[in-house]
């Protein structure tokens, strides 16, 4: 039996094109549906009733979780679930969930005011990283090496940011590399290490920095497995920091880019996602 799937996103990128291309081989039909034109809320949700499931890949920091909640209220299942998406969209909520579950995360401080920021600088050794609670793709993540610069940077957060943009995390700088683990369903299908290059200190995969495949050792599999147990089966990019004391979960992306991981590892990630969708539809 065929399945009709909507990729809900504001644009079609490399990943979405690969998913659409792979779909017919797996008995699926995938359309792109612009996430700016759904107008959800009606019980029958006329813009999505033709689909068996929605694959939420919105780039918006908050749009994905809202759309998933409205779609599920209309009886249309989503990947990922509303719980998973809304947990991943908010870095503070995610860190709190992970820490409560005993999953290792970096030390951090929540900053919602100048007083918070000053206390965070007192408690955490420089250099530190300032990052927005709502955000992705490495944007507005700032490395602060000196206290003078830190206060100047925070002026911009305080004066120019909207209310939700002023909520930030401050955490120790843990080096210029991280490991992106690509999960489909409950399976860790591939992992690659990303390292900062050139003049940009950030190692975010979206910035196109150096990458290489890494072995999926027991510790990595255990941590990623515990993250999936917490959030539920789905499609995730689990980002880990490597430290002398082991791996720490930095972030979990609910709509991960996977072009760089696929390139580094040779893993057929679109096919893995298609098979997972096929299993869900039955």
């Amino acid at each position: 039996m065929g399945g009709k799937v909507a990729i809900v996103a504001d644009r079609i990128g490399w990943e979405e094109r690969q998913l659409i291309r792979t779909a017919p081989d797996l008995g699926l039909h995938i359309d792109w549906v612009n996430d700016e034109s759904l107008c959800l809320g009606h019980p029958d949700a006329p813009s999505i009733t033709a689909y068996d499931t929605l694959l939420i890949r919105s780039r918006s920091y908050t749009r994905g979780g809202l759309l998933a909640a409205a779609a599920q209220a209309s009886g249309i299942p989503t990947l990922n679930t509303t719980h998973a998406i809304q947990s991943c969209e908010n870095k503070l909520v995610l860190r709190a969930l992970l820490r409560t579950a005993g999953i290792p995360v970096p030390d951090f401080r929540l900053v919602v005011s100048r007083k918070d920021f000053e206390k965070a600088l007192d408690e955490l050794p420089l250099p530190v990283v300032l990052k927005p609670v709502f955000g992705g793709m490495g944007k507005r993540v700032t490395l602060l090496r000196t206290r003078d610069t830190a206060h100047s940077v925070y002026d911009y957060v305080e004066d120019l940011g909207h209310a939700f943009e002023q909520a930030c995390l401050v955490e120790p700088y843990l080096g210029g590399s991280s490991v992106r683990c690509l999960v489909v369903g409950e399976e860790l299908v591939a992992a690659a290490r990303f390292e900062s290059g050139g003049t940009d200190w950030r190692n975010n995969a979206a910035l196109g920095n150096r990458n290489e495949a890494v072995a999926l050792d027991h510790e990595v599999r255990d941590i990623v497995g515990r993250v999936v147990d917490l959030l539920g089966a789905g499609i995730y990019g689990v980002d880990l920091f490597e430290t002398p004391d082991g791996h720490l979960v930095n972030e979990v992306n609910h709509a991960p880019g996977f072009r760089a991981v696929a390139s580094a590892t040779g893993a057929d990630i679109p096919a893995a996602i298609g098979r997972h969708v096929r299993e869900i539809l039955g």
Side-chain angles (χ1 to χ4, degrees):
M1 183 176 70
K4 194 167 183 182
V5 180
I7 290 179
V8 177
D10 57 330
R11 57 88 180 96
I12 287 289
W14 183 89
E15 287 82 357
E16 290 75 26
R17 289 194 297 271
Q18 297 306 306
L19 291 168
I20 292 170
R21 179 186 60 80
T22 303
D25 296 335
L26 298 168
L28 298 172
H29 176 84
I30 297 181
D31 294 325
W32 167 48
V33 176
N34 193 317
D35 66 7
E36 297 177 339
S37 62
L38 294 177
C39 194
L40 299 182
H42 189 281
D44 295 327
S47 60
I48 57 174
T49 51
Y51 297 100
D52 298 304
T53 190
L54 306 183
L55 185 56
I56 307 291
R57 291 191 57 85
S58 299
R59 289 186 299 175
S60 165
Y61 305 149
T62 56
R63 192 179 297 162
L66 296 173
L67 294 174
Q72 288 183 350
S74 296
I76 308 296
T78 64
L79 278 173
N80 291 321
T81 66
T82 302
H83 165 70
I85 295 173
Q86 292 182 340
S87 297
C88 294
E89 284 177 332
N90 185 316
K91 292 182 177 64
L92 185 278
V93 168
L94 179 66
R95 289 277 179 94
L97 287 172
L98 294 172
R99 178 179 279 177
T100 300
I103 299 170
V105 297
D107 193 8
F108 68 91
R109 301 293 184 273
L110 172 64
V111 170
V112 296
S113 68
R114 175 77 66 171
K115 290 182 179 179
D116 276 345
F117 188 60
E118 291 173 350
K119 289 181 179 179
L121 294 180
D122 288 338
E123 295 178 11
L124 299 175
L126 293 170
V128 296
V129 174
L130 176 69
K131 61 173 60 173
V133 166
F134 299 98
M137 302 179 71
K139 294 181 179 180
R140 297 198 298 120
V141 179
T142 308
L143 177 61
L144 304 173
R145 299 183 184 274
T146 69
R147 200 174 181 104
D148 288 347
T149 301
H151 281 290
S152 295
V153 168
Y154 194 76
D155 287 341
Y156 288 91
V157 175
E158 193 172 49
D159 294 343
L160 301 181
H162 298 294
F164 79 93
E165 293 173 332
Q166 292 180 358
C168 297
L169 299 184
V170 175
E171 63 186 38
Y173 174 57
L174 296 176
S177 68
S178 66
V179 175
R180 160 64 60 96
C181 301
L182 217 298
V183 174
V184 179
E186 297 180 345
E187 180 185 0
L188 174 53
V189 298
R193 178 180 293 106
F194 293 87
E195 297 184 355
S196 57
T199 59
D200 196 325
W201 65 274
R202 296 168 295 178
N203 54 57
N204 190 283
L207 301 175
N209 292 326
R210 296 190 300 269
N211 60 76
E212 61 179 359
V214 298
L216 304 178
D217 62 26
H218 174 74
E219 184 198 10
V220 169
R221 288 186 180 276
D222 177 66
I223 291 176
V224 172
R226 291 163 67 190
V227 171
V228 176
D229 288 342
L230 180 66
L231 297 176
I235 302 165
Y236 304 108
V238 182
D239 292 340
L240 307 177
F241 284 137
E242 298 172 292
T243 77
D245 297 322
H247 291 84
L248 306 175
V249 179
N250 175 34
E251 296 178 4
V252 181
N253 193 314
H254 67 85
F258 52 79
R259 183 175 187 174
V261 174
S263 175
T265 65
D268 191 348
I269 296 170
I273 293 174
R275 288 192 296 269
H276 178 57
V277 173
R278 180 71 270 158
E279 291 170 2
I280 289 174
L281 296 178

